[in-house]
Amino acid sequence: MRVDSNFFCTVQMPDAGKVAPTERRYDNRAVVECYENLVAYAKAGDALGYDTMWLTEHHFQHEGYEVLPNLVLFGLHCANQTRSLRMGQMFNVVPQWHPLRLAEDFAIADIATGGRMEFGVGRGTVPREAWTLGTVVASGDNAMSAEHDRINREQFEESMEVIKLAWYNERFSYRGKHFVYPPDEIPDRGSYVHDLTLIPRPLRTIDIHQPVTSPETIEYVPRAGHKAVYWLQNAESQKRKWDRYAEIREEMGQPVAPGADRCLVLNIHVARTREEAVRRATPGHQEFSNFLGPYGRFSSYRHADGSKVPFDFRPTVEDSTREKIQIIGSIDDAVDMLGFWRDLLDLRHVCFFFEYPGLTRDEMIEQMHLVAEEVFPRLGETVERRPLPALSPLH
């Protein structure tokens, strides 16, 4: 099974779960310490055989939750500190980028690392950064505006068309509702520019990973040829979305093997006993419930009686473990929950989210060891890393 790791890129937070998210503010020193920790996690993941370390893009997050604005740039740095670990973006917030700059930046990083970059894309969630960086987004802060969602989706889908055109064609041009490349009537040494050539282009076909949540995205991702990423879903919802991906690929005449082209992200914290895991993970779990609840990140949860939760639901550890949406418990508990998801989905690609706020660097690395060295062997699985492409990195 392919096993990855995912980090939100959050500062050290010793008072996790005890302070309202809106009251947090961290200085630049704490941000830099977060980057130092991420390099340590990359080195640990490399040594333990994890395939890919995925990082998270956000901007202007003075609260300290997600403080890495450029995943390609920092991923290139981490790749230079490791030997075989791939570095992924979960996710580049595409509407906040110029699509051609994103295409260029990723291509040159992938070339420089010998094909060790993984490309992930998303539409964004945070109005503070979306408005500031030239787009809009629907969120719990603006009542999930249908108009903002429409504009954001249009910009995202056009951007993806542009990126793929630019990557795989010697010459390209594009005329859409939001983007026109090249712009009309650009003079160039006595003539006009009618097409462009991206410099550089990738040396290989790039897999594109995208989160799947809304009904529109469920249909778009397989039709666009992207790989699907799922997070924080109850079992019924997850199974339905997982199977729908395969159904669409079958309808397109591009069938996928069981479990292929889909990834499940699971928050995890394990310890020698269930009680110890709950004690250590509860502050960080509470912190994320407070931080992400208003954005509807836990709306897939169900009450104990099976009824739907409100949009801004804030789960307890008991809620998360009862539904197996997050794994917090003993090594045996983790084996049982992972076995459940493996059997339900024929799971071939799992990505573990280790970064509960409040954990120290040493505690985070300990989690990576426990999962790789104790959980997976008891599951009868091994942590497998794919061979690197036959590309020569630059030195």
Side-chain angles (χ1 to χ4, degrees):
M1 186 181 294
R2 174 179 167 185
V3 182
D4 297 348
S5 63
N6 175 219
F7 294 89
F8 260 13
C9 315
T10 296
V11 305
Q12 294 290 293
M13 205 172 275
D15 58 354
K18 300 177 182 178
V19 178
T22 52
E23 295 178 7
R24 292 195 177 281
R25 180 173 288 272
Y26 285 89
D27 62 17
N28 204 51
R29 191 168 46 229
V31 171
V32 173
E33 182 185 17
C34 172
Y35 300 160
E36 294 169 351
N37 291 338
L38 291 172
V39 172
Y41 305 150
K43 291 179 178 178
D46 191 40
L48 288 165
Y50 287 86
D51 186 279
T52 302
M53 176 177 174
W54 299 88
L55 304 176
T56 304
E57 176 193 344
H58 281 290
H59 303 260
F60 320 121
Q61 297 277 55
H62 64 260
E63 298 93 341
Y65 294 107
E66 301 152 321
V67 297
L68 190 60
N70 191 312
L71 309 185
V72 176
L73 182 63
F74 195 80
L76 177 61
H77 172 66
C78 287
N80 286 332
Q81 307 294 311
T82 54
R83 294 178 60 85
S84 301
L85 184 72
R86 290 175 169 86
M87 298 302 304
Q89 304 102 51
M90 195 177 278
F91 300 92
N92 293 305
V93 184
V94 173
Q96 297 172 183
W97 281 78
H98 188 297
L100 293 178
R101 293 303 301 269
L102 180 56
E104 288 174 340
D105 286 2
F106 182 88
I108 198 166
D110 196 60
I111 291 167
T113 60
R116 287 170 56 198
M117 303 297 287
E118 292 283 293
F119 193 62
V121 297
R123 297 197 298 118
T125 59
V126 183
R128 179 195 309 174
E129 59 190 52
W131 267 253
T132 305
L133 295 174
T135 185
V136 294
V137 71
S139 83
D141 289 327
N142 60 5
M144 298 304 291
S145 163
E147 177 64 8
H148 289 154
D149 187 67
R150 182 190 65 79
I151 294 169
N152 177 282
R153 190 178 298 276
E154 285 180 351
Q155 290 177 331
F156 172 85
E157 294 184 4
E158 284 196 14
S159 291
M160 294 312 304
E161 291 178 23
V162 169
I163 288 169
K164 287 183 272 190
L165 272 174
W167 273 350
Y168 302 122
N169 293 275
E170 170 67 26
R171 297 167 180 261
F172 75 94
S173 61
Y174 182 84
R175 301 189 71 84
K177 181 176 179 180
H178 297 277
F179 302 107
V180 175
Y181 301 124
D184 294 331
E185 298 185 353
I186 299 177
D188 186 25
R189 290 166 285 194
S191 183
Y192 291 92
V193 177
H194 301 292
D195 53 44
L196 299 169
T197 299
L198 192 75
I199 304 294
R201 300 197 307 277
L203 299 178
R204 62 187 178 101
T205 300
I206 304 298
D207 291 334
I208 299 174
H209 301 76
Q210 183 177 344
V212 173
T213 50
S214 68
E216 296 88 349
T217 307
I218 291 170
E219 299 294 310
Y220 168 80
V221 167
R223 298 184 194 282
H226 300 175
K227 296 181 184 296
V229 180
Y230 307 88
W231 184 45
L232 296 178
Q233 298 292 302
N234 70 67
E236 180 184 357
S237 172
Q238 181 60 76
K239 176 65 171 169
R240 184 172 61 253
K241 292 174 181 178
W242 194 269
D243 290 348
R244 180 56 183 155
Y245 183 96
E247 290 171 1
I248 294 172
R249 291 287 296 269
E250 185 75 32
E251 293 166 3
M252 296 170 61
Q254 301 173 3
V256 294
D261 291 355
R262 286 154 287 175
C263 171
L264 181 66
V265 178
L266 288 170
N267 293 30
I268 190 167
H269 188 85
V270 296
R272 298 299 172 186
T273 67
R274 181 180 302 167
E275 292 74 21
E276 177 68 8
V278 169
R279 183 186 68 78
R280 286 172 49 171
T282 293
H285 184 283
Q286 184 62 44
E287 188 69 38
F288 274 140
S289 292
N290 294 340
F291 170 47
L292 296 174
Y295 292 103
R297 292 295 170 268
F298 306 104
S299 58
S300 178
Y301 278 62
R302 295 294 180 266
H303 291 300
D305 62 4
S307 61
K308 294 184 66 173
V309 301
F311 175 83
D312 59 352
F313 182 65
R314 302 181 185 188
T316 64
V317 169
E318 181 182 6
D319 295 324
S320 293
T321 55
R322 182 187 68 246
E323 297 199 63
K324 299 181 174 64
I325 293 176
Q326 300 185 47
I327 300 174
I328 299 172
S330 67
I331 291 171
D332 287 340
D333 291 332
V335 170
D336 288 343
M337 289 190 195
L338 277 170
F340 167 82
W341 287 111
R342 181 186 61 181
D343 296 344
L344 179 68
L345 305 176
D346 202 348
L347 185 63
R348 308 294 177 86
H349 181 189
V350 63
C351 179
F352 289 113
F353 181 96
F354 293 107
E355 198 177 20
Y356 284 102
L359 297 178
T360 66
R361 178 195 294 187
D362 289 343
E363 287 171 334
M364 207 86 72
I365 292 174
E366 177 192 42
Q367 290 297 303
M368 300 174 74
H369 276 273
L370 285 171
V371 167
E373 296 172 344
E374 301 203 32
V375 172
F376 262 76
R378 294 195 196 180
L379 195 64
E381 298 277 1
T382 56
V383 175
E384 295 185 0
R385 176 178 288 153
R386 295 167 296 155
L388 293 171
L391 303 175
S392 297
L394 303 178
H395 295 285

